[in-house]
Amino acid sequence: MTPVSPLLVGVHGWLLAGRLWHPLRQELAPRWTLWCPDLPGFGASDRPRGLQASLASYGRWLAEAVQREAAGRPVVLLGHSLGGSVALHAAPLLGGQLRGLVQIAAGGGVFQPRPFARVRRGGAAFVRWRPAWLARLPGTGAIRSPLLADDRAARGLLACSTNRGAVRQLPRLAAALTVPSLWIAGSRDQVMEPRYVRHLAGYSPDHQLAILSGVGHLPMVETPRELAALIDAWLEDDLALPAQPSGPQSVASPFSCSSASCA
């Protein structure tokens, strides 16, 4: 039986939408299929009335949505920032269908009361006072999701992701991973500093860590080709997953080149 290429699933972060992944999706095609849904309440996706705005609830939603979309195919989750926490919650619910986890600018696991309180206040103020009318102007598609994201989803996920219990749960979720994981940080990321990515990655049993030099919080937008090469090599060389048959030959592994510093 011919091995089946996995479905890659991009999980965006707070206030963002699936369009965040489009530059990376273009670079990964046609070797890999990247599905990048809008989480409920963000982008073009409405939040169902019964869906609680918590990491656990969104993790369950994601696992169910992935199982429907994958239709039996193996799955690799790609989480960005807060989306990485959602991916960690979804991972155990996918069972043997999950083959790997890529965490981009996703770290933490250390509760910091004062900084987190400032983040909650600042985030809540933005959600309350954001100029939603800007989304009606032409050429504002890139900022449409932050301006129009569901108020309850935005506030709830921000509060949940910065409370003591949720933060301290992340290391346990990382330690419980049963699949290989690749953790990627930008050396100039001011939102999720590399040290926090390294800290959380250290709890996962079978992981690799890559630091992208000169890159900030959005490597899928800043350097999608470099990021695609890193992920491509990890999927094929380390996970031994088959690319789609129509794709070109594999790129050289960036784990041995100067574009990324790995540990």
Side-chain angles (χ1 to χ4, degrees), residues 121-134:
R121 287 196 299 269
F126 172 80
V127 171
R128 181 178 181 182
W129 300 110
R130 56 189 165 167
W133 58 268
L134 280 178

Side-chain angles (χ1 to χ4, degrees), residues 62-111:
L62 177 63
E64 293 172 0
V66 166
Q67 288 170 331
R68 289 194 301 269
E69 183 70 20
R73 292 172 63 182
V75 169
V76 176
L77 295 179
L78 283 67
H80 172 254
S81 195
L82 183 141
S85 299
V86 175
L88 281 174
H89 279 270
L93 305 178
L94 292 171
Q97 192 172 6
L98 183 67
R99 300 298 177 82
L101 178 67
V102 180
Q103 297 283 66
I104 303 169
V110 180
F111 183 67

Side-chain angles (χ1 to χ4, degrees), residues 6 69 73 86 91 117 128 140 145 165 169 215 232 236 243 245 248 253 255:
E69 183 70 20
R73 292 172 63 182
V86 175
R128 181 178 181 182
T140 58
S145 183
Q169 187 179 15
V215 177
D232 178 281
E236 191 166 55
S253 173
F255 286 107

Side-chain angles (χ1 to χ4, degrees), residues 21-203:
W21 298 96
H22 290 183
L24 178 63
R25 184 174 66 181
Q26 293 176 358
E27 294 294 338
L28 289 170
R31 289 174 54 76
W32 310 98
T33 298
L34 175 60
W35 179 55
C36 33
D38 294 335
L39 293 175
F42 302 94
S45 176
D46 294 330
R47 181 183 61 84
R49 182 173 299 179
L51 180 65
Q52 294 182 350
S54 70
L55 294 175
S57 294
Y58 270 64
R60 288 191 293 271
W61 177 91
L62 177 63
E64 293 172 0
V66 166
Q67 288 170 331
R68 289 194 301 269
E69 183 70 20
R73 292 172 63 182
V75 169
V76 176
L77 295 179
L78 283 67
H80 172 254
S81 195
L82 183 141
S85 299
V86 175
L88 281 174
H89 279 270
L93 305 178
L94 292 171
Q97 192 172 6
L98 183 67
R99 300 298 177 82
L101 178 67
V102 180
Q103 297 283 66
I104 303 169
V110 180
F111 183 67
Q112 303 177 77
R114 291 183 179 178
F116 285 173
R118 289 196 296 269
V119 168
R120 285 194 296 272
R121 287 196 299 269
F126 172 80
V127 171
R128 181 178 181 182
W129 300 110
R130 56 189 165 167
W133 58 268
L134 280 178
R136 297 193 295 270
L137 300 180
T140 58
I143 60 173
R144 182 176 177 82
S145 183
L147 293 174
L148 299 179
D150 178 85
D151 184 86
R152 183 172 179 179
R155 290 172 179 266
L157 284 176
L158 180 63
C160 177
S161 64
T162 55
N163 73 44
R164 186 187 304 268
V167 171
R168 291 183 172 176
Q169 187 179 15
L170 293 180
R172 295 196 295 270
L173 291 171
L177 287 173
T178 58
V179 296
S181 55
L182 172 62
W183 301 70
I184 302 171
S187 67
R188 295 186 178 178
D189 191 341
Q190 300 298 308
V191 178
M192 182 59 69
E193 296 177 23
R195 58 177 173 157
Y196 296 120
V197 177
R198 186 185 300 273
H199 172 80
L200 188 57
Y203 288 94

